[in-house]
Amino acid sequence: MDKDKLIEELMADSRNKTYSKKGLGPIFQLNKECKILIIGQAPGKKVEETGILFNDKSGDRLCEWMGISKKTLYSKDISIMPMDFYYPGKAKSGDKPPRKFIARDYHPLFLENLTKVKLKVLLGLHANKYYLKDGFKKNLTQTIKDYESYLPEIFPLIHPSGLNNRWISKNPFFESKILPALKRVVDDTLKS
């Protein structure tokens, strides 16, 4: 299914009626030639306002982690598919989780367009649990520590949100081991 048809179907889906009534379309980045697919959580409020994924501090951090520029993030080499294509709203701490039906019903339609993907970067608990299934370890920390077992197709990560600063400070391996490896893998994939 092409991008326009996918958008049309999402906007016609009654489960997205609240967004469609407000004139809000689904937010994703689909580039058929991409080598890297980033699978994130869901757009935040700022992203909903601009319609551009990672157009916030988490996007700056993600680029830093991957060793790429914003220009590369929005290039033909990268697609971005959130677990929910709409901002799910606020919860007590952070945003509400992505709605489950989006990944179940719409990710397969999105993925059928992406035949050249060499690396999937999974951001956060929801993306990692959904895509790793039985390969997900007892928690996200253990999954990330064991990143090499998922290569070369998948690289598991926490979400680049500032809400994860405490986790990063409690897990120094992330900055000393994981991020240098991520930069190498991303660079190799983009050059291939």
Side-chain angles (χ1 to χ4, degrees):
M1 177 178 291
D2 73 13
K3 182 179 179 178
D4 292 335
K5 280 206 182 298
L6 184 55
I7 290 171
E8 191 179 303
E9 192 166 319
L10 280 155
M11 292 192 74
D13 190 319
S14 62
R15 295 168 291 185
N16 296 324
K17 185 170 53 176
T18 310
Y19 302 100
S20 297
K21 276 185 173 179
K22 292 179 187 174
L24 298 170
I27 304 170
F28 57 81
Q29 178 176 307
L30 176 61
N31 296 307
K32 291 185 179 193
E33 301 299 311
C34 74
K35 297 175 182 180
I36 296 175
L37 171 62
I38 298 169
I39 304 175
Q41 303 276 89
K45 187 68 181 157
K46 183 176 180 185
V47 168
E48 180 183 65
E49 291 166 3
T50 64
I52 303 168
L53 288 161
F54 292 107
N55 186 27
D56 53 18
K57 288 182 182 177
S58 66
D60 296 339
R61 183 180 242 180
L62 178 61
C63 287
E64 182 184 320
W65 286 0
M66 293 176 70
I68 61 172
S69 66
K70 280 278 181 117
K71 183 178 178 183
T72 301
L73 180 67
Y74 300 124
S75 74
K76 67 175 178 44
D77 290 324
I78 295 180
S79 285
I80 306 171
M81 179 178 70
M83 292 298 290
D84 193 335
F85 298 138
Y86 297 90
Y87 172 58
K90 272 278 183 223
K92 284 184 181 176
S93 63
D95 295 332
K96 288 181 182 175
R99 299 168 302 154
K100 293 181 180 182
F101 79 88
I102 294 287
R104 183 190 67 233
D105 298 351
Y106 289 100
H107 280 198
L109 302 175
F110 191 101
L111 292 169
E112 74 184 26
N113 290 286
L114 304 178
T115 58
K116 298 180 180 181
V117 171
K118 296 179 179 186
L119 176 67
K120 291 178 184 159
V121 178
L122 305 179
L123 301 178
L125 183 65
H126 300 288
N128 277 281
K129 274 189 161 182
Y130 188 83
Y131 278 94
L132 295 177
K133 303 203 182 330
D134 292 341
F136 186 81
K137 307 298 182 204
K138 71 176 186 174
N139 58 41
L140 188 54
T141 302
Q142 291 304 313
T143 301
I144 291 169
K145 277 185 176 177
D146 197 29
Y147 76 94
E148 290 174 293
S149 69
Y150 306 107
L151 292 174
E153 293 93 15
I154 292 175
F155 205 112
L157 289 174
I158 58 169
H159 193 277
S161 162
L163 295 172
N164 284 321
N165 288 344
R166 202 164 120 206
W167 182 92
I168 292 169
S169 65
K170 287 171 71 174
N171 294 285
F173 75 90
F174 185 72
E175 291 184 308
S176 65
K177 183 179 178 187
I178 304 299
L179 294 184
L182 175 64
K183 286 180 174 88
R184 278 193 308 275
V185 170
V186 167
D187 189 53
D188 290 348
T189 303
L190 291 172
K191 287 177 179 170
S192 64

